[in-house]
Amino acid sequence: MRIGLLGTGNVARALAHGWRAAGHDVLLGSRRPEERTGIGLPVAGLDETAAHAEVLVNATPGGVSVDLLRSIGAPALAGTLLIDVGVGLSDDFSALTHPNSSLGELIQEAFPLTPVVKTLCTMDSTTMTAPGELTEPGTVFLSGDDAEAKRTTGRLLTDLGWPESSQLDLGGITTARGQEHFAFLFMGIAGGVGSHTFNIKVVTRPSADTL
C-alpha cells in the first residue's frame, strides 16, 4: 500500500522503515521537507504526502495534530484511512492536552469523512516495529468507528509483527481515551523498569466471562 506518514520523528521513521521492509511504499510528510533530507527515507510536503497516500498515519505531536491536518484540508483527507498514533502531552509531560477527550476523537470529529483508527500509542517506537523482540507477546489496541478501517489497520499491524492474537479491538473511537490516558502509566512503568522498551499484555481466565 501507499502509506503517508505525517511527521519525521522517531515514531514516523520507525514505522516507515517497518512498513517499507514489509513491501509498502512509504512517504514521510513534513512542513519543511527541505530540512529533512539525509534521514534515509523519502520526504515530501504535507499536501503531497496526503495526495500520495492510500493510508495516512498521524505521527505528529498531539497538541498540534488537528491544526496540522486542517492545513491539509478536509477534502484532501476525505475517504482516506487515518491511523492516529499521537498523544497530546504538555511540554513538561505532566498533563494531557485533551484531558477530557482524546486526540483520536478530536480528529474524527474534525474530519467526519475520514475514518480514524487509534493504535500503537501505548508503547515506544522500538516496540511498535519489533514486538517479537520482547520476552513474550504483548497487546496492541485498536479504537475506531469504521470496521473496514480497523481491518486494514490490523493487516498493517500484522506486517509490523503483530499477529491477530495480539490485537485487541476496544470498540469505537471514544475508547481512544483509554489508550491515550495510559501515557502516565507508561511513564511510571518506564521509570520502574528502567527502560521505555516494554509492553503490556491483557490476560484473562481460560474461560473468560463475557460482558
Side-chain angles (χ1 to χ4, degrees):
M1 299 188 75
R2 298 189 308 277
I3 303 175
L5 299 103
L6 303 177
T8 57
N10 290 338
V11 169
R13 283 181 281 175
L15 291 173
H17 281 298
W19 277 317
R20 187 166 70 170
H24 297 287
D25 176 1
V26 300
L27 180 64
L28 272 62
S30 171
R31 285 175 288 192
R32 294 178 295 276
E34 68 281 355
E35 299 177 9
R36 299 294 186 266
T37 58
I39 63 174
L41 291 161
V43 183
L46 299 177
D47 292 344
E48 182 181 345
T49 301
H52 169 84
E54 296 174 274
V55 176
L56 271 177
V57 179
N58 174 49
T60 64
V64 303
S65 295
V66 174
D67 286 342
L68 183 143
L69 290 166
R70 284 195 174 115
S71 75
I72 298 172
L77 301 176
T80 300
L81 164 59
L82 191 147
I83 298 174
D84 175 36
V85 302
V87 176
L89 289 168
S90 61
D91 291 340
D92 62 359
F93 301 104
S94 66
L96 290 165
T97 56
H98 313 107
N100 299 312
S101 184
S102 68
L103 176 60
E105 289 175 88
L106 295 179
I107 294 173
Q108 187 63 90
E109 180 181 354
F111 303 94
L113 300 181
T114 300
V116 177
V117 177
K118 188 83 186 188
T119 191
L120 290 172
C121 70
T122 55
M123 62 197 73
D124 76 343
S125 60
T126 301
T127 304
M128 289 178 187
T129 58
E133 294 183 3
L134 301 180
T135 54
E136 61 180 274
T139 303
V140 61
F141 305 99
L142 298 93
S143 302
D145 296 333
D146 187 292
E148 182 57 34
K150 283 194 282 190
R151 282 191 288 270
T152 300
T153 302
R155 291 192 293 271
L156 291 174
L157 290 174
T158 300
D159 289 341
L160 294 176
W162 295 96
E164 288 187 23
S165 58
S166 291
Q167 300 177 26
L168 181 57
D169 185 346
L170 300 180
I173 195 62
T174 57
T175 64
R177 297 184 191 188
Q179 294 197 56
E180 295 184 26
H181 288 219
F182 177 77
F184 296 115
L185 182 55
F186 176 89
M187 289 186 279
I189 295 172
V193 302
S195 172
H196 290 90
T197 303
F198 64 88
N199 195 24
I200 58 171
K201 181 178 182 179
V202 175
V203 295
T204 63
R205 291 181 177 181
S207 299
D209 296 332
T210 58
L211 294 176

